[in-house]
Amino acid sequence: MKKVLILSGSPRKGGNSDILCDQFAKGALEAGNEVEKIRVAEKKIAPCTGCYFCRNSGGRCALNDDMGDILQKIIDCDVLVLSSPVYFYSMCAQLKAVIDRCVARWTEIANKDLYYIMTAAEEDEDTMDGTIACMHGFAMCIDGYDEKGILYGKGVAEKGEVVNRPELMQIAYEMGMSVR
């Protein structure tokens, strides 16, 4: 059994990437794993100010918000799922704020299996290049990371539209089922 943490960056509860996170969670639970999904937009997470208070305080951030608990969960999990809708060819601000705030204890984030879930209205092949580049950039800072799967959910714009795309729903579910 692995401890799975899903960070749903979607600001829309029941948005396309959020629904795919639920499908991933369903598969991971059925495979016998412990799963927690955090809707990042529902948490109070300020952007990193670059003050580096964390350097001299044992990784404690100067900002007092929900990020301390989330960061501990990121450190403690075995599997980390990053999920974001694509905004202006990059990841949403909500997920990026979480990634940036990991600076406080980034050296403690190690040995993670990583999965990425992205959704976009456009169908073009390069639509998600910027988003996946941000996710890869975070991964490269993790000692012992293993990128296990990427879901490119293209062509879904309206909230909940992804439920009409059974192939995407199945991919998310199967990615979750693959967690062992």
Side-chain angles (χ1 to χ4, degrees):
M1 178 181 78
K2 292 195 174 185
K3 186 181 270 190
V4 178
L5 179 63
I6 301 170
L7 297 178
S8 176
S10 178
R12 300 188 297 184
K13 185 174 187 172
N16 293 311
S17 58
D18 195 47
I19 289 170
L20 292 174
C21 286
D22 291 340
Q23 284 295 107
F24 185 102
K26 180 180 174 185
L29 282 168
E30 288 180 20
N33 298 288
E34 177 184 327
V35 179
E36 180 177 3
K37 180 180 113 175
I38 296 174
R39 286 196 23 77
V40 176
E42 294 174 355
K43 301 295 182 179
K44 183 181 175 196
I45 303 169
C48 180
T49 64
C51 70
Y52 291 108
F53 176 84
C54 54
R55 283 186 182 168
N56 301 314
S57 66
R60 190 170 52 83
C61 184
L63 302 171
N64 187 18
D65 59 13
D66 294 331
M67 189 56 203
D69 291 338
I70 294 169
L71 184 50
Q72 188 61 55
K73 291 176 183 197
I74 292 170
I75 291 166
D76 293 341
C77 75
D78 302 304
V79 176
L80 181 60
V81 180
L82 301 176
S83 177
S84 177
V86 174
Y87 290 165
F88 293 99
Y89 299 93
S90 190
M91 76 171 49
C92 65
Q94 291 83 351
L95 186 60
K96 184 65 167 102
V98 170
I99 290 172
D100 290 348
R101 290 285 299 283
C102 286
V103 71
R105 297 174 62 194
W106 70 273
T107 58
E108 296 175 59
I109 304 171
N111 304 314
K112 306 291 177 213
D113 289 343
L114 301 173
Y115 292 86
Y116 309 127
I117 297 172
M118 299 166 289
T119 56
E122 292 188 34
E123 296 268 1
D124 295 338
E125 277 303 310
D126 62 354
T127 296
M128 298 184 179
D129 289 354
T131 305
I132 196 63
C134 289
M135 292 177 178
H136 283 310
F138 178 63
M140 290 187 303
C141 296
I142 297 173
D143 194 26
Y145 74 91
D146 188 3
E147 293 176 334
K148 295 285 197 174
I150 302 172
L151 194 163
Y152 295 96
K154 298 177 185 177
V156 290
E158 298 304 317
K159 181 178 178 182
E161 184 178 357
V162 74
V163 299
N164 299 320
R165 299 283 301 278
E167 74 282 7
L168 296 177
M169 299 289 281
Q170 187 65 28
I171 291 168
Y173 173 77
E174 289 175 4
M175 280 177 37
M177 281 291 292
S178 74
V179 175
R180 306 266 181 222

